[in-house]
Amino acid sequence: MKYPRAVPIAIFLAILAITGLSVFAIEKGESQRERAALDDAAQSVAAAIDRRGHTSASYLRAGAALAASVEYVDLPLFRRFVYELRLDADTRGAEGIGWAEALTPREVASYEARIGDQMSRTIEITPAPDPGAQLLVPVTFLEPDTERNRRAFAYDMYSEPARRMAMDEAARSVRPVASAPIVLVQEGGSDEPGFLIYMPVFEDYGSGRRLKGFVFSPFNARDFLLNAVEMSGARQISVSLYDLRIDQDTLLATVGDAGPSFMLARENVEIANRPFALEIRAAHRAALSPLSMATLLFGLAVASLLMLLARLITQQAIEDENALERFAQQVSIRDSLTRELNHRVKNTLANVLSIISLTRRRTSDLDEFANGLEGRIRAISATHALLTNSEWGTTPIRAVIEVEVAPYSKEHSAAVRMSGPDLELAPNDALSLGLAIHELSTNAAKFGALSDDSGSVEVSWELSDEGLAIVHWIESGGPTVASQRKPGFGTDLIEKIVAHELRHPVDLEFHEDGVRCTLRVPIRERGDFQLRGNLEV
């Protein structure tokens, strides 16, 4: 059939326009999702900083209440107070909690003698008081008592303008107040910025009251920000903390790296009644999303196909082309299945031969030989039976390993030793582990520690902090293993397919004294691999 020359081009352009609109809609949705995720991360970090500031302020209020209730705050009392606070993860990022007594110049000598006696050391306030100074606020105690914190002892914080301004505001408002950015005395020469939070303490004096001192907490800005980001749970973002407003001169700290292409969000936060600003960056895709790319390629393919269909003389040519493509795919699939089948058959034959050989070494009676041979061959199918018996629920890791190594265990000996805690595996993870143990057992029976009477295998497992079962396979006493060897299909199966299924790397090493393998298997809750209606995924 003949068609007007413009028809194929019109069809192509129409499909291309529809594809372009689809890609635009998908990309817009992806951008909105990324923006929503960034806004959520920004709010989470801001909430974590706000929570962190309120927590620190609460501890300082408690310290101020204690200091106001006693005549003098001595070292044992202050240490007991800090210990009983039982500071948790919310206080990470702080240098500690301290007490700074307010002094007049004529009280300096008695103060240095009194505090020196308590600390069994010579105390001298630094920097030396100015002749016109009316008030000194030296660091009296600072817990925890570390080498870093000892650098701040007896430092007159009231002599420094930023600290003095924060203390004056705290005394005026009688509430916790954060200072402007400063460099902590603890930094010991470093210029890394930080800040302090002060809570004033007053005592009755005549008909009024006077300032007794300050309970305070020093913060390294970067440690404080890093702790807040960890508390928020946000991942793959960069967060910058600014004093008062976002400006290069007011930058306190930055954690994380969003890369060269990023999206930006900003949040205002308040720490101890002082405003701060946050700038959060998240990596932004520089290319189309996978769904957009697939839609674009699919649209181009459809448009091209329709244009070709309008121009082809007969449908037979297209059918022949498709038939050839299908034939090539079938040939590829057949080759893969044949290779897999050959591997399985060879493994099965090797397993049977190994079982016969191992059984024959341990038996002298024909009936005993037949019974032992039958029991070991049955063990090969036991992994699948385990999953069937558990109705495809969780399966003990010990049971999976036992049924896979059972055909190669030597009776009345310790050829295979197993140890580890009671852990349960999801069905897919159990099958993957069973496949790996099967390949390791087959290799050991063919060439390794289970190929003669002198060899042995130790299988142990443990639970890691990341929620993984770390399984160790160690062979010893068998034939010497060649250090240079060409990887076989079993090696590829463990290092690629099993590692992919378990979503964690597999360490497989061929030492001269035996094969060593370490597998990492996720320990998942039942809800992680089941849908409603008890359908497993």
Side-chain angles (χ1 to χ4, degrees):
M1 297 180 60
K2 295 182 179 180
Y3 298 93
R5 182 170 297 180
V7 169
I9 298 177
I11 293 175
F12 180 82
L13 293 178
I15 299 299
L16 201 61
I18 294 173
T19 302
L21 290 175
S22 301
V23 170
F24 175 77
I26 293 171
E27 285 299 297
K28 184 177 180 181
E30 287 291 325
S31 297
Q32 290 175 345
R33 183 188 63 80
E34 290 181 346
R35 169 54 62 177
L38 175 60
D39 291 342
D40 182 66
Q43 293 174 6
S44 298
V45 174
I49 289 178
D50 184 67
R51 185 167 63 253
R52 181 70 179 83
H54 281 299
T55 301
S56 298
S58 298
Y59 288 137
L60 296 183
R61 290 181 187 274
L66 173 67
S69 64
V70 297
E71 183 177 0
Y72 288 107
V73 178
D74 57 21
L75 182 58
L77 174 66
F78 188 74
R79 282 182 173 171
R80 186 168 64 253
F81 162 72
V82 175
Y83 172 78
E84 291 179 353
L85 282 180
R86 301 185 183 277
L87 306 180
D88 55 18
D90 285 342
T91 62
R92 288 190 212 138
E95 300 290 332
I97 296 180
W99 163 248
E101 190 171 328
L103 307 171
T104 60
R106 63 173 176 272
E107 295 174 319
V108 170
S110 62
Y111 167 85
E112 292 176 343
R114 172 166 50 86
I115 300 303
D117 290 341
Q118 293 185 42
M119 303 185 69
S120 300
R121 55 184 288 190
T122 301
I123 299 297
E124 183 177 353
I125 295 176
T126 57
D130 291 335
Q134 298 181 355
L135 181 65
L136 293 84
V137 185
V139 176
T140 305
F141 306 124
L142 183 56
E143 293 293 328
D145 184 15
T146 63
E147 184 65 29
R148 176 180 170 85
N149 281 342
R150 290 189 191 121
R151 298 173 186 165
F153 285 156
Y155 173 73
D156 179 17
M157 295 185 289
Y158 205 73
S159 65
E160 195 274 320
R163 293 175 172 86
R164 180 169 62 249
M165 186 178 299
M167 285 187 279
D168 289 343
E169 175 61 21
R172 185 192 64 79
S173 60
V174 194
R175 60 180 184 176
V177 172
S179 72
I182 50 94
V183 176
L184 299 176
V185 181
Q186 291 94 315
E187 298 297 344
S190 171
D191 59 354
E192 193 166 354
F195 61 92
L196 298 103
I197 299 179
Y198 293 99
M199 179 65 197
V201 178
F202 294 93
E203 63 181 351
D204 294 333
Y205 184 74
S207 59
R209 64 177 186 175
R210 72 174 181 179
L211 181 65
K212 186 175 184 179
F214 293 89
V215 181
F216 68 96
S217 275
F219 294 85
N220 177 284
R222 189 180 186 283
D223 293 343
F224 176 85
L225 182 59
L226 181 61
N227 173 247
V229 173
E230 290 174 350
M231 289 173 57
S232 72
R235 296 292 183 270
Q236 297 180 340
I237 61 172
S238 170
V239 182
S240 298
L241 179 66
Y242 296 85
D243 179 50
L244 301 178
R245 66 188 181 280
I246 296 177
D247 188 272
Q248 189 60 36
D249 295 335
T250 62
L251 177 64
L252 287 175
T254 297
V255 298
D257 183 10
S261 179
F262 56 85
M263 296 185 300
L264 183 66
R266 292 175 174 176
E267 289 284 339
N268 293 320
V269 294
E270 189 173 87
I271 304 174
N273 301 297
R274 183 178 181 86
F276 289 81
L278 286 174
E279 194 171 67
I280 299 93
R281 298 178 178 89
H284 180 61
R285 294 176 295 105
L288 294 177
S289 66
L291 181 58
S292 296
M293 186 63 70
T295 302
L296 180 60
L297 294 176
F298 179 76
L300 289 173
V302 170
S304 300
L305 180 61
L306 290 178
M307 185 174 65
L308 289 174
L309 285 175
R311 298 292 296 173
L312 289 176
I313 299 175
T314 64
Q315 184 66 26
Q316 187 63 45
I318 297 178
E319 292 178 356
D320 291 343
E321 184 179 356
N322 291 338
L324 289 174
E325 185 178 351
R326 288 195 299 271
F327 178 73
Q329 293 175 349
Q330 291 172 357
V331 170
S332 177
I333 293 173
R334 183 187 63 188
D335 290 343
S336 298
L337 292 176
T338 301
R339 184 165 177 255
E340 174 68 13
L341 180 60
N342 288 337
H343 176 71
R344 294 300 178 190
V345 170
K346 289 179 181 178
N347 276 354
T348 302
L349 292 176
N351 289 343
V352 173
L353 291 175
S354 297
I355 290 171
I356 293 173
S357 177
L358 291 172
T359 305
R360 184 172 57 190
R361 292 184 199 146
R362 296 293 184 179
T363 60
S364 58
D365 181 74
L366 181 60
D367 291 337
E368 183 180 357
F369 171 78
N371 292 335
L373 180 61
E374 179 183 359
R376 288 180 171 87
I377 293 177
R378 287 181 181 274
I380 296 176
S381 63
T383 300
H384 196 279
L386 277 176
L387 296 176
T388 303
N389 292 338
S390 66
E391 297 181 353
W392 290 82
T394 57
T395 304
I397 191 172
R398 178 182 291 273
V400 174
I401 298 175
E402 283 179 346
V403 299
E404 292 297 343
V405 302
Y408 312 101
S409 299
K410 302 173 184 178
E411 295 181 355
H412 313 300
S413 70
V416 179
R417 300 185 299 275
M418 290 180 286
S419 63
D422 295 332
L423 301 176
E424 300 281 336
L425 301 180
N428 287 345
D429 299 332
L431 288 173
S432 299
L433 176 62
L435 181 61
I437 298 298
H438 173 77
E439 292 297 332
L440 291 170
S441 302
T442 301
N443 182 75
K446 287 181 182 179
F447 316 108
L450 299 181
S451 63
D452 57 36
D453 292 334
S454 62
S456 65
V457 176
E458 181 176 354
V459 187
S460 62
W461 60 93
E462 58 189 352
L463 181 62
S464 71
D465 295 337
E466 293 81 11
L468 300 175
I470 310 299
V471 181
H472 304 281
W473 173 282
I474 302 176
E475 299 181 23
S476 60
T480 301
V481 177
S483 59
Q484 300 294 331
R485 59 188 302 275
K486 183 179 180 180
F489 185 81
T491 302
D492 290 340
L493 185 68
I494 293 174
E495 293 183 334
K496 295 179 180 179
I497 299 177
V498 172
H500 173 74
E501 291 295 328
L502 295 178
R503 298 179 298 280
H504 290 88
V506 175
D507 299 328
L508 182 60
E509 302 175 353
F510 293 90
H511 294 271
E512 289 187 359
D513 55 347
V515 175
R516 297 183 181 179
C517 183
T518 301
L519 301 108
R520 297 166 179 82
V521 188
I523 301 298
R524 299 191 288 168
E525 300 293 335
R526 182 176 293 271
D528 295 338
F529 58 88
Q530 280 191 329
L531 297 173
R532 289 188 293 271
N534 294 327
L535 296 177
E536 294 175 356
V537 295

